[in-house]
Amino acid sequence: MVVVNTKEKISKMKKIIILFFSIVSLANVNAQISKAELIANGLTCSMCSKATYNQLKTIPFLDSIYTDVEHTKFILYFNTETTFDLKLIKTKVEDAGFSVGSLVLFMKFDNVAVENDFHYNVGDITYHFMDTKKQTLNNIHQVKLIDKGFVSDKEYKKYLKLASKYPCYKAGKMENIKVLYHLKVI
Amino acid sequence: MKRNFILFVLSFWLFQAKAQELFLLTYPASNVPKNTMIVRGMNSFFQRSADNSISYHFMPEVMFGINKNFMLVTNGFISNENNKVNFEGASVLGQYRFYSNDETKRHFRMAVWSRIAVNNADIHQEEIELNGHNSGLRLGLTGTQLLHKTALSSTVSYQKVLNNISNEFPKNYSTDAVDYTFSIGQLVLPKQYKNFNQTNVNLMVEMLGQTHLENGESFLDITPVLQFIIKSKARLDIAYRRQLYSTMYRTQPNGIIINFQYNIFNVVKQK
């Protein structure tokens, strides 16, 4: 009898663990970003844009990509039912031989009061707002990712000066935070 | 050398308009994108000074982007010397981009590269040419500046010639050389990009010079290039290389080059 009870306990524990991980993974699913506007830097010609497009095409969490060759701009449509890793966008642009000039996210908020230095947690991700006026965000807003590698070196240096009191901006990470991004409401 | 410099500066002023950096005879400091393969077939028809006959060379070439900073290039050399098809040799080139500063429609990049060539052709001229004529080693440095539609690129390299497989390099010829190049071009069409299917027309000029370290002999060539980019993945170049001056013995300095290449993106499927 004791053995059976232990088995039952283990089974119950398993169920709880599975449930816990299901909740965690649900929280990771992208419900907040529907699309993004990417401008790639360091290129002009259509062959270079094509190379960038072909790298971006391999990103699993994107549903489709529209390319504006003249402005080296790519509109990225996210699959809202999968998880995402924004750093993969940067990696793919760099693999094509270029850099991210800007990445503007179209992000959904539900009455979120933001201001400078506000931390917004969604699942494993923490969004740290910088250079942002006090305001309440509701529905879809455009926010710009301002971390190193997501803006030009010149712009990064500008934000570095603004963020002198936030060591997490320079470090790109923070203790006990799994994924950290710095955003500016535009 | 002074004459070379004046010609370089002249060409800079003449063509300081709009250009692209997809050069024919030199590689810019930008590499082939990661996991992209470029297959190239370069045909050159050069006139032999001795009898005005045509020397034909075919160079099949494969370029591959290993990662964002490193690319590998390998090519083979086939000629019609002695009125038969000869497979004369091959070379491998590796280029490492060590500096890159990107802004909107601008960049400045620098790269180092090296070529190793093995060849079995007859040695019939003082010019050192690892692309099709000589065995040897070459080590170079490239700087490339893109300014919206204007691109300028320059390389400096050192090369050491070795004996060809069964043809010894003549003892009275210089075995060490410094090469210098300057390339510039102009995007003519389209005036405005609408999609990937528009044919791009680029005009380019490349200047290639060589100075031998042992005896100071040198030459300088100019190569205007008309380039078509088709559907943003194929490229056709039509060029004419002409000697501006030479103090060394060259057997076929002037000729036409026709190049076709095709980009294959995402070669290795990623999970």
Side-chain angles (χ1 to χ4, degrees), chain B residues 11-255:
Chain B
S11 71
F12 181 85
W13 283 107
L14 274 172
F15 297 98
Q16 199 188 26
K18 295 174 174 180
Q20 290 293 0
E21 62 177 51
L22 304 163
F23 300 115
L24 176 66
L25 302 177
T26 58
Y27 301 112
S30 304
N31 287 340
V32 173
K34 183 185 172 185
N35 202 16
T36 296
M37 184 187 277
I38 299 177
V39 182
R40 178 187 257 207
M42 194 190 273
N43 303 272
S44 60
F45 307 85
F46 277 60
Q47 196 169 33
R48 294 187 185 95
S49 306
D51 60 0
N52 290 340
S53 63
I54 298 297
S55 165
Y56 172 69
H57 281 79
F58 176 62
M59 287 197 295
E61 182 170 304
V62 175
M63 305 162 79
F64 186 72
I66 307 282
N67 59 40
K68 64 178 181 178
N69 292 325
F70 188 71
M71 73 167 181
L72 262 183
V73 180
T74 179
N75 58 5
F77 313 121
I78 297 160
S79 85
N80 74 338
E81 291 299 315
N82 305 318
N83 294 321
K84 58 183 172 68
V85 177
N86 311 285
F87 179 77
E88 293 178 332
S91 88
V92 177
L93 177 143
Q95 175 166 292
Y96 179 73
R97 185 185 69 173
F98 65 89
Y99 179 79
S100 186
N101 186 2
D102 292 353
E103 291 290 333
T104 309
K105 294 186 178 181
R106 297 167 74 107
H107 66 227
F108 178 68
R109 280 134 187 227
M110 291 189 82
V112 284
W113 49 272
S114 181
R115 184 189 290 278
I116 299 170
V118 177
N119 209 307
N120 195 32
D122 295 336
I123 297 163
H124 46 69
Q125 59 179 5
E126 283 186 89
E127 177 192 349
I128 298 171
E129 177 56 275
L130 300 193
N131 241 345
H133 292 275
N134 300 100
S135 294
L137 301 166
R138 191 170 179 182
L139 188 66
L141 175 73
T142 304
T144 302
Q145 173 80 63
L146 173 75
L147 298 162
H148 195 183
K149 290 177 179 176
T150 304
L152 311 166
S153 189
S154 190
T155 73
V156 179
S157 60
Y158 163 77
Q159 49 185 343
K160 170 97 187 159
V161 77
L162 301 168
N163 289 329
N164 280 4
I165 297 166
S166 50
N167 292 300
E168 204 174 307
F169 193 76
K171 291 206 165 42
N172 54 332
Y173 287 1
S174 178
T175 56
D176 297 68
V178 170
D179 284 61
Y180 27 88
T181 74
F182 179 76
S183 305
I184 188 165
Q186 179 171 5
L187 173 69
V188 181
L189 290 170
K191 293 280 177 215
Q192 193 172 20
Y193 282 120
K194 290 192 178 106
N195 56 55
F196 289 134
N197 293 330
Q198 287 168 295
T199 299
N200 294 202
V201 180
N202 294 319
L203 279 177
M204 296 172 176
V205 174
E206 297 203 75
M207 303 191 71
L208 281 77
Q210 184 174 98
T211 298
H212 288 176
L213 296 179
E214 283 151 50
N215 52 25
E217 286 179 344
S218 63
F219 73 79
L220 186 68
D221 291 353
I222 188 164
T223 310
V225 185
L226 173 63
Q227 182 180 81
F228 301 92
I229 309 286
I230 302 144
K231 290 187 183 287
S232 304
K233 56 186 173 187
R235 195 179 115 184
L236 174 70
D237 303 87
I238 303 162
Y240 177 63
R241 183 168 173 167
R242 172 134 200 118
Q243 177 178 286
L244 289 176
Y245 86 89
S246 175
T247 60
M248 69 178 78
Y249 179 58
R250 301 170 85 194
T251 53
Q252 36 188 272
N254 305 323

Side-chain angles (χ1 to χ4, degrees), chain A residues 7-18:
Chain A
K7 271 188 177 175
E8 275 177 357
K9 270 184 184 172
I10 290 169
S11 166
K12 214 174 177 182
M13 278 293 282
K14 262 186 182 173
K15 278 181 186 168
I16 290 168
I17 289 167
I18 289 166

